[in-house]
Amino acid sequence: MQNWVIAIRAASGPLYLAIADTIEGAIRAGRIRPGQRLPPQRDLARALDVDLTTVTRAYGLLRSSGLVEGAGRLGSFVRNGAHVQALAAQASDDTGMNMPPQPGFSQLSEAIRTGMAALLRASGPSPLLQYQPTGGYGHDRAVAAEALSARGMPSTEDEVAIAAGGQNALHAILGNVLAPGDRLAAGRFVYPGLLALAARFGIRVDPLETDAEGLDPDGVARALRGGAKAVYVVPTNDNPTAATLGAERRAAIAALARRHGAQIIEDDAYGRLPAVPPATIASLAPERTWHIASLSKIVSPALRIAHVRAPSARDAWRLSADIHETAVMAAPLNAALVTGWIRDGTLDRLVAGVRSEAVARQRIAAHHLGQVPYAAHPEGYHLWLPLGPGMAATDLAAAVRGMGLSIVPGEAFAVRKDHPAAAVRISLGGAIDHDRLRRALECLEALLLRNQARAAG
């Protein structure tokens, strides 16, 4: 128990969450076995010098998660066998998705539980259990507009639509901005969801060369002169390349769009992760930028909520009609939950937790991949790793898949499939814990260095 006490005291945030996280980590790592009895609550409270209610609350979270069961006066025990194994298997599932790391199993779930309970506490029929107005309930849009304005994008509720996630938002925007046969300028490697939508709408994607800072304005200028009607950009922590546009490039892209009468689709999926977020392109060219602020990459993909700032109120109403055609509406309970989180500061705390965990995982990657070149954002959670000659991305992914590390071959992001990337995107997010992440990265580095040695020899 002494190791627990040290870890718990060193943790940040609410103490009951630190207790639950520390015990949960010990269970998943096998340091506490199924059937083993946890320390009596009074003993742990005394060791930590905290109120008994703090430990009781932590143990309650562990029971709710299914990891621990109570046996009355006998105490609390780790649940036996199958259930814990199923949880571990679920946590290690590799979906290939780039999911935010969870700072602790209880922080997000507790925020959802308490937030939902507050929303449903009112007596009588709840409007949140009914259909909502096209584009979202007015109060939710007004709060979203306030949040966007606070980030330097002056907005009114009439300029905001609430979509069922970033992909739903992209679907609606492309349907409004471009027609079949139109051209869209984007990086050479982009989010596969965009490529799928472009293919569905018959839109041609013009691949632009990028460097360590992302899109080159000269390339954007050539594409717009050549007839591209819009530019798609992930300005902060690009997926997959991890590049972040500097202030000069953001201003240059905004100016070019104005000069050529083009639209900008700003997919700001990771924009709030940096502790000091860069100015958005929408703040520079609000009259022609469709700004998507989604939550899947900064909190959880389970919420499926995106706040979209359209260039005008008219554009927002058109966008809302397209959202209605494809998804009817964003889930009203989720939209209201996010609104409450914005108002009471919970959203900032959740994003800060993901940010802190991302930073910790980037430090682990820097330590274990120190001899391997890669690109990453210091407050992000994916890596873009070039591969040397003779190393197949699919072989590399297969070698570490069983260890819980998500690796996606670069060809999945290539606009031109005849020019695939000799690179992979590695996600440090999801449910993988630090110990398993270290082991997976050690294995990965060994494979890469062995391949380098073979190529050199």
Side-chain angles (χ1 to χ4, degrees), residues 103-409:
F105 80 91
S106 50
Q107 185 176 358
L108 177 59
S109 59
E110 180 74 352
I112 293 174
R113 185 185 68 80
T114 56
M116 285 293 186
L119 290 173
L120 297 174
R121 195 170 293 139
S123 60
S126 172
L128 298 177
L129 302 181
Q130 309 298 325
Y131 284 105
Q132 300 291 297
T134 299
Y137 184 50
H139 176 63
D140 294 328
R141 290 188 288 111
V143 172
E146 291 176 7
L148 292 166
S149 297
R151 290 193 61 200
M153 297 169 279
S155 308
T156 66
E157 67 178 87
D158 289 339
E159 294 169 330
V160 175
I162 299 178
Q167 186 71 1
N168 178 227
L170 275 176
H171 187 285
I173 292 169
L174 290 180
N176 271 276
V177 171
L178 300 170
D182 282 347
R183 293 165 57 189
L184 172 67
R188 181 183 166 196
F189 305 105
V190 296
Y191 166 54
L194 175 77
L195 298 178
L197 290 174
R200 176 178 291 273
F201 282 111
I203 296 166
R204 174 182 166 184
V205 180
D206 289 348
L208 308 181
E209 291 297 330
T210 61
D211 57 22
E213 198 180 335
L215 289 178
D216 181 352
D218 290 340
V220 174
R222 285 192 293 272
L224 295 180
R225 287 197 299 268
K229 293 188 176 181
V231 180
Y232 171 81
V233 59
V234 181
T236 302
N237 192 20
D238 174 60
N239 180 20
T241 67
T244 293
L245 290 170
E248 290 186 5
R249 290 201 183 186
R250 293 176 190 236
I253 291 171
L256 286 166
R258 277 202 181 103
R259 185 181 310 156
H260 294 277
Q263 301 285 299
I264 300 170
I265 303 171
E266 184 177 28
D267 190 352
D268 205 26
Y270 305 88
R272 288 190 57 169
L273 269 187
V276 182
T280 63
I281 298 176
S283 68
L284 304 172
E287 81 286 357
R288 60 186 58 257
T289 303
W290 302 75
H291 180 89
I292 307 172
S294 57
L295 295 181
S296 292
K297 304 304 186 192
I298 60 172
V299 177
S300 170
L303 294 169
R304 308 312 306 152
I305 295 294
H307 295 152
V308 186
R309 188 202 182 279
S312 69
R314 181 185 176 203
D315 289 327
W317 286 112
R318 287 167 44 212
L319 184 73
S320 297
D322 272 23
I323 290 171
H324 185 272
E325 285 182 5
T326 55
V328 179
M329 61 184 179
L333 275 172
N334 285 8
L337 178 69
V338 172
T339 295
W341 285 354
I342 293 173
R343 298 302 295 270
D344 68 12
T346 296
L347 181 60
D348 286 337
R349 290 192 292 273
L350 290 173
V351 174
V354 171
R355 178 189 305 124
S356 177
E357 182 64 17
V359 169
R361 295 184 184 207
Q362 287 289 355
R363 288 172 178 164
I364 292 172
H367 177 75
H368 291 284
L369 295 178
Q371 301 182 64
V372 178
Y374 63 86
H377 190 288
E379 295 165 301
Y381 50 84
H382 67 266
L383 319 176
W384 184 241
L385 190 149
L387 298 179
M391 173 62 77
T394 52
D395 293 342
L396 192 65
V400 298
R401 182 171 293 120
M403 306 184 77
L405 192 65
S406 173
I407 296 183
V408 179

Side-chain angles (χ1 to χ4, degrees), residues 1 5 9 19 39-53 55:
M1 188 170 69
V5 171
R9 285 176 173 167
I19 295 170
Q41 295 181 30
R42 291 186 184 278
D43 290 354
L44 185 54
R46 191 178 302 113
L48 290 169
D49 193 24
V50 299
D51 291 337
L52 177 61
T53 54
V55 179

Side-chain angles (χ1 to χ4, degrees), residues 4 23 32 35-44 52 55-56 59-60 62-63 67-79:
W4 291 6
I23 296 175
I32 310 176
Q36 187 172 338
R37 182 173 182 258
L38 297 182
Q41 295 181 30
R42 291 186 184 278
D43 290 354
L44 185 54
L52 177 61
V55 179
T56 300
Y59 277 39
L62 291 163
R63 284 194 297 272
L67 289 171
V68 168
E69 58 188 351
R73 293 184 177 180
L74 293 177
S76 298
F77 295 80
V78 178
R79 292 191 67 174

